[in-house]
Amino acid sequence: MKIIKNYLTFIIGLFFMALGIDLIIKSSLGTSPISSLPYVISTNVPFSLGEVTFVVNMFFLFLQWVILRDRLGKMQILQIPMTLIFAMFIDNAMQLLEQIPVPDIYMLYLMVLLLGCLSMGIGITCEILGRVVMLPGEGIVNAIAINWHLDFGRTKVVFDCFLVLTASLLSLVCSQTIVGIREGTIISALLTGMIVKFILSTIMRLQK
């Protein structure tokens, strides 16, 4: 029964994470760092954001295997179906949000961005509480941290910066302008982690 609860919690988390990514994009103020590279690629290829997200994450999973080899546990194969569900949620939520217009008012854009950060925070919290598996975006950071004995949090920050920088350079090459990287990218990077810490600490206090 506990395993079912964990998987359900994890999948609910995937939905909120996908919704959060789409809300941040909907705000027109940028993308979240983890989705910056898939977003830029999706604007230059005939594939949806969810489809590109799946492909990019499979590349991250491959890199995990390259780094860890036999140390990559067999359970990590679950990253594939979970990423597929995550990608489907991204595309479905995007289609839903496309039906909701947002007036061209900066404060409204900012509100949508904050809702996106909140949704991502809830989703990441559920992912942590579910304890099923890491998505490849976190899995590759974990693999790097394990193999080179680095701090996960600091490695995550560096990896996110690398994704944003790569996305910016790719955008400049393909579109001669930077697409999807704005103030919202920085806000989401800073705020989402704070939301996760707040929710987790609140749950721990309630449990005590």
Side-chain angles (χ1 to χ4, degrees):
M1 193 67 183
K2 185 179 179 181
I3 230 173
I4 295 175
K5 180 182 177 182
N6 286 351
Y7 274 81
L8 185 60
T9 300
F10 189 86
I11 291 173
I12 290 172
L14 294 182
F15 171 76
F16 276 102
M17 286 173 62
L19 179 61
I21 288 172
D22 290 341
L23 281 168
I24 292 170
I25 292 172
K26 181 74 173 179
S27 74
S28 301
L29 298 179
T31 63
S32 62
I34 194 65
S35 62
S36 58
L37 184 57
Y39 178 77
V40 170
I41 294 173
S42 71
T43 60
N44 291 281
V45 297
F47 299 103
S48 69
L49 176 59
E51 292 168 342
V52 175
T53 296
F54 181 78
V55 172
V56 170
N57 276 270
M58 289 304 96
F59 177 66
F60 290 158
L61 179 56
F62 171 72
L63 289 180
Q64 290 176 58
W65 176 80
V66 170
I67 294 169
L68 296 178
R69 295 297 176 107
D70 294 338
R71 289 177 292 165
L72 185 66
K74 293 181 180 179
M75 281 294 292
Q76 299 306 315
I77 195 70
L78 286 175
Q79 291 186 41
I80 297 175
M82 291 304 173
T83 303
L84 181 60
I85 293 172
F86 181 53
M88 291 171 60
F89 280 155
I90 287 176
D91 282 345
N92 290 335
M94 185 70 77
Q95 289 177 5
L96 178 65
L97 291 175
E98 283 177 354
Q99 311 302 318
I100 305 173
V102 178
D104 190 14
I105 302 173
Y106 188 83
M107 286 305 297
L108 290 179
Y109 287 151
L110 188 59
M111 287 176 62
V112 174
L113 171 68
L114 295 178
L115 281 174
C117 293
L118 176 61
S119 183
M120 278 198 70
I122 293 171
I124 293 171
T125 303
C126 290
E127 181 186 357
I128 293 170
L129 295 176
R131 297 178 181 177
V132 174
V133 71
M134 285 185 175
L135 288 179
E138 286 76 41
I140 180 61
V141 174
N142 191 52
I144 293 170
I146 289 173
N147 195 62
W148 285 284
H149 308 289
L150 303 172
D151 176 73
F152 179 88
R154 292 178 181 176
T155 307
K156 173 66 173 170
V157 172
V158 172
F159 184 73
D160 283 349
C161 290
F162 170 76
L163 289 180
V164 171
L165 179 59
T166 304
S168 300
L169 291 174
L170 182 62
S171 181
L172 283 171
V173 170
C174 296
S175 307
Q176 286 75 54
T177 186
I178 295 180
V179 177
I181 312 297
R182 285 189 53 180
E183 64 270 28
T185 306
I186 299 172
I187 292 172
S188 66
L190 297 174
L191 191 57
T192 303
M194 294 171 61
I195 292 171
V196 173
K197 288 181 181 178
F198 174 77
I199 296 174
L200 287 175
S201 61
T202 301
I203 290 173
M204 288 179 66
R205 284 199 301 269
L206 291 174
Q207 287 177 340
K208 290 180 181 180

